[in-house]
Amino acid sequence: PNDPAWWTNAVVYQIYPRSFADSTGDGVGDIGGIIEHLDHLAELGVDVVWLSPIQQSPQFDNGYDISDYRRIDEMFGTEEQFDLLLQGLHERGIRLIMDLVVNHTSNEYPGFQSSRSSRTSPKRDRYWWRDARPGFEPGEPGAEPNNWRSFFGGSAWTFEPLTSQYYLHLFTPQQPDLNWENPRVRAKVYAMMNWWLDRGVDGFRMDVINFISKDPALPDGVVDSSGIWGDGSPYFVSGPRIHEFLQEMHREVFGGRSGQYLTVGETPGATVEQALLFTDAQRRELDMVFQFEHVSLDQGAGKFDHRPLSLPDLKTSWNRWQRGLAEKGWNSLYLNNHDQPRVVSRFGDDQQYRYESATLWATLLHLQRGTPYIYQGEEIGMTNAGFTSIDQYRDVESLNYFAEALEQGMDRERVLEGLRRMSRDNARTPMQWTAGEHAGFSEVEPWIPVAANYPAVNVETDRAAEQSVFGYYRELVRLRHESDLVSLGDFHLLDPGHPTLFAYKRTLGDQALLVLGNVSGAELGVPSDLEAGSLVLGNYPDAGDRHLLRPWEARILDIS
Ligand code: ISL
């Protein structure tokens, strides 16, 4: 068989540049700030950095709305600084992957400006323009071409009086969707990707890449609880030509290249079966995808409607993904990113057992088969923001939801409670470097408030502590690098129905590891058939009692 791909024992670190480190004193993180902290990444031992978008953008959705795909936004620094960053990473043996946002552009992208200018613009067909619904006056309420709801509230269509038609945007009106049916659109995207690879980057994280192929009929979706809006996802999630487009992209961008690249697709709503098609190496589409099943288990009717996580549900879900991508395909492993609340607050205990629960979740994630992703701040156990007032929030999704929910008569405190739990801003507060002013992120007031716990939770304090989250992550990264069993071994879930014990085995040849996690703040008896092995790594200072797991205790045991 072929040698395993280089990324099978790699660990990726995600940087959200505006919240990482501010080197210019304007309160916003930037490339210079990343350069100042390269040794932090090298010491953690990661192999790849994924940068959230730094290209020119009006920043309506924090850079996920790009207006010039080949330029660094001034707020993040200069072209030279970008090249220095790339060089600094490469010197440390770290690869760099860029965010590729090509389901949509910014509405300020020149191609969209031309497209919207007239019905006969040569670029008209690069976006989705449609007439009003038959029988309605263009622009009047209910006249949208279909009933799709946008992810960030309201209709997915915006009326353009200039030409009396509507354009499609699955996200905000400032993020019009590109029409991938148009071969010119695809050719432009591939040329741009090649341009970045020629500049030296090592691959891409592809934003909502499974949304790029839409059913051109754009049919109405089933109406949701609002009674107005419909769910268009059956017509754009893994749409009719998705595999054709990804195979074409692979051919046109990576086909003639011999370097070591990484592609990871963000694929909300993807099933295991679809993920297998995306990541089966023989199909030449993507190396791996981010799936969303495990981060949807604590949601009810919508994202802000909380329900408690059932551990058996999580085990069932992860097990299905581990088994489904065992022979072919590959998993990416994550609990955090810039869109998700912090795992230690979400599924752990961010007070008394912050260290223990942060390292427990790290263990359960990192000992699986797949490529783990660490989101900035996760490696020191950063918590949710703890915002109590709406004017602390910045995220367009959160602000739109707040306005819409109040308008619908929802109780203000309940809405704020939903945001406190689930807002994307929980992940976007400034990186906490020190106990000093503004957490060492900036010399001035940052663009978004620092979480109040920074005097206790910060890189400097954590790294000096006897029990350091950073130190523990470092061990997990080292294990993956050193052990074929960790990177390539088979996964076997144990005790699937247990409400608080998470147990699994990894096996490769005659080697075997047992992973045990107590997902609770109470002591837990170890089932007698699992009282085995010698401790490889654990999150308590001593091996403890083999019959008993302490609160949020995690153990990795050699049972070869
Ligand atoms: O966080 C979400 C909203 O509840 C997700 O649905 C998110 O919108 C989805 O995962 C797509 O995310 C990506 O594309 C968005 C951007 O806002 C996110 O930051 C990005 O990760 C539009 O580009």
Side-chain angles (χ1 to χ4, degrees):
N2 296 332
D3 281 347
W6 68 268
W7 35 257
T8 51
N9 74 350
V11 178
V12 184
Y13 186 91
Q14 182 192 353
I15 293 181
Y16 196 65
R18 63 162 52 233
S19 303
F20 193 67
D22 170 21
S23 69
T24 56
D26 64 353
V28 182
D30 48 47
I31 296 173
I34 303 173
I35 292 175
E36 285 171 13
H37 290 288
L38 286 179
D39 287 333
H40 177 76
L41 309 177
E43 282 159 35
L44 186 54
V46 297
D47 306 276
V48 183
V49 162
W50 149 29
L51 271 194
S52 276
I54 51 168
Q55 291 92 336
Q56 188 179 297
S57 162
Q59 302 290 327
F60 213 85
D61 186 17
N62 291 358
Y64 285 89
D65 50 326
I66 296 177
S67 53
D68 187 336
Y69 284 83
R70 301 186 190 204
R71 258 218 164 83
I72 306 298
D73 196 301
E74 279 182 2
M75 69 182 274
F76 291 124
T78 63
E79 302 297 327
E80 293 66 36
Q81 278 180 304
F82 176 80
D83 292 326
L84 281 176
L85 169 62
L86 187 57
Q87 192 190 330
L89 286 166
H90 285 170
E91 279 166 8
R92 289 166 177 81
I94 302 174
R95 293 191 168 90
L96 177 67
I97 67 172
M98 302 290 284
D99 221 305
L100 182 79
V101 188
V102 291
N103 171 72
H104 44 268
T105 67
S106 160
N107 61 330
E108 293 183 20
Y109 179 67
F112 181 72
Q113 286 305 319
S114 158
S115 182
R116 73 183 273 273
S117 64
S118 91
R119 290 195 186 204
T120 56
S121 157
K123 301 204 169 146
R124 187 65 167 178
D125 191 41
R126 296 199 181 174
Y127 294 83
W128 296 93
W129 292 98
R130 289 290 186 274
D131 290 330
R133 193 182 279 275
F136 284 80
E137 275 305 306
E140 76 174 339
E144 291 84 12
N146 72 25
N147 68 1
W148 295 3
R149 175 200 273 283
S150 111
F151 282 99
F152 296 154
S155 172
W157 295 92
T158 289
F159 182 61
E160 174 52 74
L162 204 59
T163 56
S164 210
Q165 282 191 319
Y166 293 78
Y167 65 90
L168 176 70
H169 51 87
L170 296 181
F171 297 92
T172 69
Q174 291 77 11
Q175 295 164 297
D177 279 55
L178 281 167
N179 175 15
W180 277 68
E181 295 293 311
N182 182 333
R184 281 295 300 156
V185 166
R186 307 203 298 274
K188 293 263 292 183
V189 170
Y190 307 150
M192 179 270 286
M193 292 172 75
N194 274 305
W195 184 87
W196 280 102
L197 294 180
D198 291 343
R199 191 169 180 176
V201 309
D202 304 290
F204 302 97
R205 173 271 187 188
M206 305 181 187
D207 195 59
V208 289
I209 202 68
N210 62 331
F211 293 1
I212 58 177
S213 167
K214 282 120 182 145
D215 177 345
L218 307 173
D220 277 333
V222 175
V223 175
D224 66 19
S225 59
S226 67
I228 305 169
W229 305 118
D231 173 15
S233 63
Y235 309 106
F236 64 77
V237 173
S238 296
R241 298 179 70 188
I242 184 66
H243 298 292
E244 177 198 333
F245 292 164
L246 290 176
Q247 286 171 14
E248 179 184 72
M249 175 191 284
H250 192 285
R251 229 177 15 251
E252 298 296 320
V253 179
F254 299 98
R257 294 179 184 267
S258 56
Q260 301 210 305
Y261 300 110
L262 174 64
T263 57
V264 49
E266 189 208 23
T267 57
T271 61
V272 184
E273 292 71 28
Q274 289 164 352
L276 187 58
L277 296 176
F278 289 136
T279 65
D280 176 352
Q282 287 180 337
R283 294 173 53 87
R284 295 176 191 279
E285 296 186 15
L286 300 169
D287 294 329
M288 60 192 86
V289 296
F290 293 127
Q291 55 102 357
F292 280 65
E293 209 175 86
H294 64 299
V295 290
S296 311
L297 297 173
D298 59 346
Q299 293 170 25
K303 147 164 191 168
F304 296 102
D305 176 30
H306 175 75
R307 64 171 197 212
L309 174 74
S310 140
L311 192 67
D313 285 357
L314 177 65
K315 287 191 271 188
T316 306
S317 170
W318 269 350
N319 187 44
R320 192 151 27 74
W321 283 85
Q322 285 288 306
R323 303 211 72 89
L325 302 183
E327 313 287 315
K328 293 176 185 170
W330 191 253
N331 272 294
S332 62
L333 309 170
Y334 76 94
L335 280 164
N336 273 119
N337 61 39
H338 64 292
D339 292 333
Q340 300 292 331
R342 295 282 182 177
V343 64
V344 66
S345 301
R346 186 180 192 175
F347 298 148
D349 172 349
D350 63 10
Q351 302 292 316
Q352 187 185 354
Y353 293 114
R354 190 181 61 83
Y355 165 81
E356 289 80 2
S357 62
T359 50
L360 167 114
W361 282 109
T363 309
L364 295 178
L365 188 77
H366 280 246
L367 265 287
Q368 293 180 52
R369 187 173 193 269
T371 300
Y373 286 72
I374 302 172
Y375 176 67
Q376 67 184 45
E378 186 180 342
E379 77 279 24
I380 57 160
M382 273 179 62
T383 67
N384 276 354
F387 292 164
T388 51
S389 151
I390 190 62
D391 46 56
Q392 293 170 301
Y393 289 93
R394 302 288 178 270
D395 168 31
V396 62
E397 178 189 48
S398 304
L399 297 175
N400 286 358
Y401 165 73
F402 181 78
E404 209 170 273
L406 288 201
E407 212 171 286
Q408 286 163 5
M410 260 181 81
D411 173 61
R412 187 185 169 96
E413 287 314 308
R414 239 188 84 203
V415 177
L416 283 173
E417 168 65 21
L419 288 179
R420 206 180 53 74
R421 242 182 226 289
M422 287 306 289
S423 169
R424 307 196 295 183
D425 280 339
N426 284 308
R428 300 177 179 186
T429 60
M431 180 75 182
Q432 293 161 205
W433 293 103
T434 71
E437 223 190 346
H438 311 303
F441 165 78
S442 174
E443 276 162 16
V444 303
E445 200 68 34
W447 68 278
I448 187 172
V450 177
N453 60 15
Y454 77 90
V457 181
N458 62 72
V459 172
E460 201 170 72
T461 305
D462 183 72
R463 292 186 56 162
E466 206 158 310
Q467 290 200 306
S468 150
V469 183
F470 182 85
Y472 194 87
Y473 267 87
R474 207 163 131 158
E475 289 301 305
L476 290 174
V477 175
R478 193 180 53 79
L479 263 181
R480 179 161 301 263
H481 287 162
E482 291 175 0
S483 160
D484 285 350
L485 171 57
V486 171
S487 59
L488 298 171
D490 291 335
F491 177 94
H492 311 270
L493 181 67
L494 304 168
D495 228 333
H498 196 296
T500 54
L501 176 71
F502 205 135
Y504 58 86
K505 242 182 5 191
R506 301 289 310 281
T507 57
L508 186 73
D510 54 8
Q511 307 174 68
L513 282 178
L514 174 65
V515 179
L516 294 180
N518 174 6
V519 189
S520 85
E523 285 191 344
L524 175 64
V526 177
S528 55
D529 56 322
L530 301 181
E531 293 176 1
S534 58
L535 193 67
V536 176
L537 181 65
N539 63 354
Y540 272 77
D542 60 79
D545 175 347
R546 60 177 17 348
H547 308 297
L548 207 68
L549 289 172
R550 290 160 281 191
W552 302 99
E553 181 163 7
R555 290 183 191 157
I556 304 167
L557 298 146
D558 187 343
I559 54 165
S560 301

